[in-house]
Amino acid sequence: MNTPIYIIEEEKLRRNLALISEVERRTQSEWILAFKAFALWKTFPIFREYINSTTASSLSEARLALEEFGAKAHTYSPAYKDEEFDDIVRCSSHLTFNSLSQYERFHERAGECSLGLRVNPEYSEVGTLLYNPCAPGTRFGVTADKLPEQLPKDIRGFHCHCHCESGADVFERTLQHIEAKFSKWFGQLEWINFGGGHLVTRKDYDIELLVRLMQGFHERYPHLKVVFEPGSAFAWQTGPLVASVVDVVEDKGIRTAILDVSFTCHMPDCLEMPYYPDVRGAEHVEVNSERVNSEEWVYRLGGNSCLSGDFMGDWRFDHELKVADEVIFEDMIHYTTVKTNTFNGITHPSIGMLRCDGKLEILRRFGYEDYRNRMD
């Protein structure tokens, strides 16, 4: 196999989509795809078999929804730009404003879009500050104390995003805060969007709890349409990034396998979040130089960019790594594929789909022109 390459597995993707479709039915809500986590548009024909809508956060994402997915987007942006707004409206069915000032500036130009406000319940259990949308000083959403008693007559919904790969138990606690802060306005609304981060396709996710929570919510507010817009859940554990060893170096007792991929370019969440990815056939370990020099095959994994910090480690393999050996990073489709870059002009991984019949279809190869044309 020519590496590097992301491989999305159709069978696993369909498994997630079928589960989400069933959750959608049982919770009497709408589940839509967030492009910020997954935007491989050549897979959209598969998605259209299971879901009807998507969510966008920019003009480009809104165009992708309309032009490639084939349906107008539920669009939210922290700040709309004047020169882009009319095109965003053209591509959107729902439009959420991040602030009252943005609403005042643009709402008269929103056409037939169903308008909403992003609200901030001032509660989130997201542990990593970089990913916490409700952290003090956040730029996201309107707090309850800033809302008027009577909402503007063209506001039809609230949008609230508080989660990151979270379980139903987290949503249960968050929902209590959302209702405590904002339920007095629910009678003025038609819909509520509970955002993303609901990882229903994770094995330990308590779907039955979610169903009960939504049953209770619908009983309390039968007029409200409920929307969820996860990203990770759709592409969770649907495929790896396959890399190869190009060299093995050692310094001060630290042995590094240099790969034909880069953490900063091709797996940026590993450095941002940060987290250690799962490596097939290897175990992440905490070691010192003495153990690295032992007979165990322990390697730091290094990227092939010039960034000094483009590495992660350490992993114990059951064999010696040699040039051309494959190193497979599990679960590298959601978020990873949308956040890559071409820093250093490093070859971008190809994108392939492993079809249900076992055949590998190459969806995209990248070359010099992709690097050059970013500056064209």
Side-chain angles (χ1 to χ4, degrees):
M1 180 185 301
N2 291 328
T3 63
I5 182 172
Y6 298 102
I7 301 176
I8 183 168
E9 300 178 39
E10 181 182 1
E11 184 176 351
K12 293 179 178 178
L13 177 62
R14 287 186 178 274
R15 176 198 63 201
N16 285 354
L17 285 164
L19 189 152
I20 289 172
S21 180
E22 177 64 11
V23 169
E24 180 181 67
R25 182 190 67 81
R26 295 188 62 197
T27 59
Q28 301 177 59
S29 56
E30 183 176 16
W31 289 67
I32 63 180
L33 170 66
F35 288 153
K36 66 180 179 180
F38 184 88
L40 298 183
W41 55 269
K42 289 184 179 179
T43 66
F44 287 175
I46 297 174
F47 276 80
R48 288 307 305 263
E49 297 178 32
Y50 299 88
I51 65 171
N52 298 316
S53 299
T54 60
T55 179
S57 296
S58 64
L59 174 57
S60 291
E61 287 189 343
R63 286 189 59 183
L64 194 70
L66 182 62
E67 298 173 15
E68 302 299 341
F69 191 84
K72 291 185 176 183
H74 292 236
T75 303
Y76 158 80
S77 174
Y80 298 107
K81 296 179 65 176
D82 184 77
E83 62 268 29
E84 295 180 347
F85 189 76
D86 292 340
D87 283 333
I88 287 175
V89 168
R90 176 179 60 84
C91 299
S92 304
S93 61
H94 294 67
L95 198 66
T96 295
F97 295 102
N98 184 60
S99 65
L100 291 169
S101 57
Q102 280 266 298
Y103 164 80
E104 291 292 345
R105 181 178 178 186
F106 289 113
H107 76 104
E108 292 182 351
R109 292 167 53 185
E112 299 301 315
C113 291
S114 181
L115 302 185
L117 285 175
R118 177 161 178 169
V119 293
N120 174 13
E122 303 174 81
Y123 178 85
S124 175
E125 296 186 21
V126 177
T128 302
L129 196 61
L130 182 67
Y131 288 78
N132 187 341
C134 299
T138 181
R139 69 189 192 281
F140 296 134
V142 183
T143 53
D145 61 300
K146 294 184 174 65
L147 288 175
E149 290 295 320
Q150 184 65 40
L151 296 173
K153 62 181 180 180
D154 54 354
I155 291 296
R156 298 286 183 262
F158 279 168
H159 175 238
C160 186
H161 177 72
C162 310
H163 301 88
C164 179
E165 298 184 354
S166 303
D169 58 325
V170 177
F171 179 54
E172 180 177 30
R173 294 187 289 272
T174 306
L175 185 59
Q176 294 172 3
H177 287 263
I178 294 172
E179 289 192 58
K181 293 277 188 179
F182 298 105
S183 61
K184 69 177 183 178
W185 287 283
F186 285 179
Q188 302 176 43
L189 304 176
E190 296 175 0
W191 54 266
I192 186 166
N193 184 327
F194 288 123
H198 306 270
L199 196 49
V200 293
T201 49
R202 190 175 61 198
K203 288 182 179 180
D204 63 350
Y205 189 94
D206 191 343
I207 292 175
E208 297 306 318
L209 174 57
L210 178 65
V211 170
R212 293 194 300 272
L213 290 173
M214 284 296 94
Q215 287 174 341
F217 189 85
H218 288 309
E219 289 174 1
R220 294 190 296 277
Y221 315 104
H223 67 290
L224 282 182
K225 178 180 179 180
V226 175
V227 179
F228 293 88
E229 50 175 46
S232 296
F234 284 97
W236 180 256
Q237 296 185 342
T238 55
L241 171 59
V242 183
S244 294
V245 177
V246 291
D247 197 11
V248 179
V249 298
E250 186 172 327
D251 181 66
K252 305 297 188 214
I254 298 174
R255 186 186 300 122
T256 300
I258 302 178
L259 310 176
D260 59 357
V261 294
S262 161
F263 290 97
T264 191
C265 295
H266 309 138
M267 296 173 277
D269 267 6
C270 293
L271 301 180
E272 289 178 3
M273 188 67 174
Y275 76 97
Y276 290 108
D278 290 331
V279 178
R280 189 175 302 179
E283 174 191 8
H284 176 253
V285 292
E286 298 290 341
V287 300
N288 55 40
S289 60
E290 292 180 0
R291 290 184 65 184
V292 172
N293 278 324
S294 72
E295 295 180 357
E296 292 184 305
W297 298 115
V298 175
Y299 299 86
R300 170 184 287 181
L301 298 180
N304 59 342
S305 79
C306 291
L307 178 69
S308 298
D310 189 4
F311 67 87
M312 298 198 81
D314 295 277
W315 277 266
R316 180 189 293 118
F317 290 77
D318 61 5
H319 62 282
E320 180 182 5
L321 290 185
K322 298 180 179 179
V323 171
D325 283 354
E326 288 186 351
V327 174
I328 300 175
F329 296 91
E330 305 284 14
D331 195 23
M332 282 293 166
I333 302 300
H334 64 91
Y335 274 102
T336 303
T337 53
V338 298
K339 296 180 75 171
T340 59
N341 62 75
T342 56
F343 170 63
N344 258 180
I346 293 169
T347 300
H348 191 286
S350 301
I351 300 173
M353 172 171 278
L354 183 63
R355 293 292 184 179
C356 291
D357 62 6
K359 295 180 180 178
L360 180 63
E361 176 185 353
I362 302 300
L363 302 180
R364 182 77 156 86
R365 285 191 174 93
F366 297 85
Y368 164 69
E369 290 76 14
D370 297 290
Y371 169 69
R372 182 200 64 190
N373 289 345
R374 291 184 70 250
M375 305 296 175
D376 189 3

